Structures are given as C-alpha cells and as structure tokens.
Amino acid sequence: MHLPVILFFLAILIGLFILNLLIYLPIVKGYDLRKKSRRILLLLLLTMTMLMLWGEVLRRISGIYWISYAGNIWLGMLSINSLIMTINLLVLIFLRKVFRISTTVSFIIVVMLSAIAIINNYKPQDIIEFDIYSDKISEETGSLRVILVSEFHLMKNTRIGWLENTISRINDLDPDLVIIA
C-alpha cells in the first residue's frame, strides 16, 4: 500500500477520534461519570464509529446498505455535535459551575438539529425561483429557463419514488437547460 493512502486513512481515523472525543469529554465532565459508565460510553462511541466505517466497506463488498446508511446518520450527528460541543467546552472553560446544565442543553440542541436533518432528508427539495436580467442578452434571444439542482446525494438506498418525484417536478418547470451541481 502506498504511503499517501496510509496517511489518508490515518488522517480520517484521527479526525473521527477527535469528533468522538468532543462527545466523550463533555459527557464525562458534565455528568461526572464513574469508571463503568465511562467504559459503556466509550464502547458505544467506538461501536457507532466502527458501524460507520464497516458499513461503508460492507456496502462496497456485499451490497449491505442499511449499515452504511446508519453510519452516515452517525457521521452527520458527529458533525453537528462537533460544533455544539466545541461551543459547550468553551462555555465550560469560563463557567465551570454549569457543567451539567450546559452539557444537557448542548445535547438537546444536537438531538433537535439531528432530527431536523433527518426529517429534511425525506421531504421534497425546495424550489426557489429567480429572475435574472442582463443587458448582454439581446431581446431577439428571448428568455432562457435554466434549472440548477443540487444536493442529490444519490446512493443505492435512495428511494426511486423520491427520485422520480424530483425529476417530475423539474420537468414540470419546462426548463431549457438543467444543471446538476
């Protein structure tokens, strides 16, 4: 295996470790967990992270997609958590007496934002219309209807009905040009 590939995977593992640490430290500090509870939390975090990594491997090798999907949800929660818990840790540095309250509020925010992200994943995409005028386009050319679509995140477990509905909504707009970003 080449050194750059090894360094790439090492960087991913270090990044995942830091993201999990941003969950682990506030919980341990905020709730003053005992040794047994710390081990259970550590086991849970490692299991979810390995679910994400092995889910991707299994998806590519054997076509098992639900583990990868659960792992992607965990990665999304880690991303949201990293921001909220970083803010929480900064609060805890300056206000040491509010460990439990600050950590609880942070987790409520993480759960709410994660739920919103999961719900938004299942609802139809928004359509926002803009009229753009330019002196560089002559009146003879007429108007041009351009549709820009983004954030598809198509995977093997993408629901066909959702994709068909999205394509139908695009076609209903009668575009001259469709750009997929």
Side-chain angles (χ1 to χ4, degrees):
M1 202 179 269
H2 298 282
L3 183 62
V5 173
I6 293 171
L7 291 176
F8 174 75
F9 284 112
L10 186 61
I12 288 174
L13 289 175
I14 290 171
L16 289 172
F17 173 77
I18 291 170
L19 289 174
N20 279 294
L21 196 62
L22 285 171
I23 295 174
Y24 181 79
L25 288 177
I27 293 174
V28 169
K29 267 299 207 192
Y31 295 107
D32 194 28
L33 294 182
R34 306 230 182 263
K35 195 172 188 176
K36 184 177 180 181
S37 298
R38 287 181 186 189
R39 286 183 183 158
I40 292 170
L41 176 62
L42 191 58
L43 181 64
L44 175 69
L45 294 174
L46 289 174
T47 301
M48 293 305 293
T49 300
M50 293 312 292
L51 179 75
M52 182 182 65
L53 294 172
W54 284 110
E56 191 60 29
V57 170
L58 287 172
R59 181 182 71 80
R60 293 173 188 264
I61 293 174
S62 65
I64 298 174
Y65 297 98
W66 67 270
I67 297 174
S68 175
Y69 187 72
N72 288 335
I73 290 173
W74 179 247
L75 180 61
M77 290 180 74
L78 278 177
S79 301
I80 292 169
N81 185 72
S82 64
L83 173 67
I84 301 300
M85 287 304 164
T86 300
I87 294 169
N88 181 45
L89 287 172
L90 291 173
V91 167
L92 294 178
I93 288 171
F94 297 107
L95 304 169
R96 293 189 172 273
K97 295 183 180 189
V98 294
F99 278 148
R100 190 165 294 197
I101 295 169
S102 176
T103 302
T104 302
V105 168
S106 295
F107 275 110
I108 291 170
I109 292 170
V110 167
V111 168
M112 287 173 43
L113 289 176
S114 298
I116 289 169
I118 291 169
I119 290 168
N120 280 337
N121 184 46
Y122 286 100
K123 72 178 206 175
Q125 291 185 328
D126 294 331
I127 296 176
I128 302 170
E129 294 190 35
F130 295 97
D131 291 326
I132 301 174
Y133 302 96
S134 174
D135 296 335
K136 296 179 182 180
I137 299 175
S138 68
E139 288 186 27
E140 294 91 35
T141 307
S143 65
L144 181 66
R145 188 168 190 84
V146 178
I147 306 291
L148 171 70
V149 294
S150 65
E151 305 303 321
F152 273 107
H153 300 285
L154 297 176
M155 296 174 42
K156 200 72 162 164
N157 58 350
T158 300
R159 293 172 292 135
I160 297 298
W162 176 87
L163 186 58
E164 288 172 345
N165 181 41
T166 301
I167 292 170
S168 175
R169 290 176 67 206
I170 292 169
N171 288 335
D172 288 346
L173 295 171
D174 193 29
D176 298 310
L177 176 65
V178 176
I179 301 171
I180 301 174

